[in-house]
Amino acid sequence: LRALAQDSPAVAVIFEARMLGTLYQAFRPESPALATSLAQLGRSYMIAGRTEAAERVLARIGSLIGNDPAEHTPGFLGVLQLRALLNAERGNIKDAEAGFVRAIAIAAKYGGVQGDAVGAYSFNLAALYLKAGRFREAIDNFLKALEIFKRESGNNASVVGYALLGAAQAYKEIGDQAASKALFATASEILGPTIAAQRPKPNWL
């Protein structure tokens, strides 16, 4: 689904909305159990560039589990990430960074430091650092995500290609053209020459 969100964000929104519709049939509308699926829908809205829709989703989640839920609350990590994504889009780098760092720590606490969620949150933190011009920190987190993605999804997964592309862009910004070129070439093999040639900025996961 993360790969789908990168490649076809509009399709990811439709997929998440259908999943949420199924849950609405299984639970009452005010059930906190809906928070996880709502957070995933909000994330898909962010990836698709629909920030206002994501903000409405976050407000809806707040009505279900409160605006400052405990970390064991259903959907907590998804909410934490969604809030960080919104802060990033608003240009609030400090709060976005704090949100992603906390999400990584909690995901590592419950799922291990090499867990899939840690990879996704590390990728988003790297994308934030790239956006903020903090290129060495971006590299560190793209490489961390890359290691996890390779183990969890295989060397040729789309998310691996996007992590490589993000790292290539960060290396280029610090003047390491050799590393950038090598990473870009590997990303091209995974994503295809058309996507890679566009060198899109890393989207959120």
Side-chain angles (χ1 to χ4, degrees), residues 89-150:
E89 289 298 323
R90 296 174 186 134
N92 191 342
I93 302 300
K94 182 179 179 180
D95 286 347
E97 178 185 18
F100 287 133
V101 168
R102 187 181 180 198
I104 291 169
I106 294 172
K109 175 181 176 181
Y110 292 107
V113 295
Q114 294 295 311
D116 189 54
V118 172
Y121 301 146
S122 296
F123 181 98
N124 284 342
L125 180 59
L128 175 71
Y129 286 144
L130 189 63
K131 179 185 179 76
R134 295 164 61 177
F135 303 119
R136 295 191 180 278
E137 291 166 291
I139 290 168
D140 289 343
N141 283 277
F142 276 129
L143 295 182
K144 178 180 178 180
L146 181 63
E147 178 184 349
I148 294 173
F149 293 160
K150 283 183 175 181

Side-chain angles (χ1 to χ4, degrees), residues 33-99:
L34 299 172
T36 298
S37 188
L38 280 165
Q40 291 171 348
L41 176 61
R43 182 207 62 187
S44 293
Y45 278 139
M46 290 299 300
I47 295 169
R50 299 173 60 182
T51 305
E52 291 183 1
E55 289 175 341
R56 291 194 294 270
V57 167
L58 184 61
R60 173 79 175 106
I61 294 171
S63 72
L64 298 178
I65 62 174
N67 293 322
D68 188 24
E71 67 179 48
H72 62 271
T73 304
F76 174 78
L77 272 176
V79 173
L80 192 59
Q81 178 178 217
L82 178 56
R83 187 174 289 120
L85 292 173
L86 284 165
N87 277 320
E89 289 298 323
R90 296 174 186 134
N92 191 342
I93 302 300
K94 182 179 179 180
D95 286 347
E97 178 185 18

Side-chain angles (χ1 to χ4, degrees), residues 111-197:
V113 295
Q114 294 295 311
D116 189 54
V118 172
Y121 301 146
S122 296
F123 181 98
N124 284 342
L125 180 59
L128 175 71
Y129 286 144
L130 189 63
K131 179 185 179 76
R134 295 164 61 177
F135 303 119
R136 295 191 180 278
E137 291 166 291
I139 290 168
D140 289 343
N141 283 277
F142 276 129
L143 295 182
K144 178 180 178 180
L146 181 63
E147 178 184 349
I148 294 173
F149 293 160
K150 283 183 175 181
R151 190 186 62 255
E152 294 293 322
S153 303
N155 290 342
N156 295 316
S158 292
V159 286
V160 170
Y162 284 111
L164 286 164
L165 195 59
Q169 292 173 353
Y171 272 112
K172 181 180 178 181
E173 293 292 345
I174 65 171
D176 191 337
Q177 299 299 329
S180 179
K181 184 177 180 180
L183 291 168
F184 176 74
T186 307
S188 298
E189 293 176 1
I190 297 171
L191 300 173
T194 301
I195 292 177

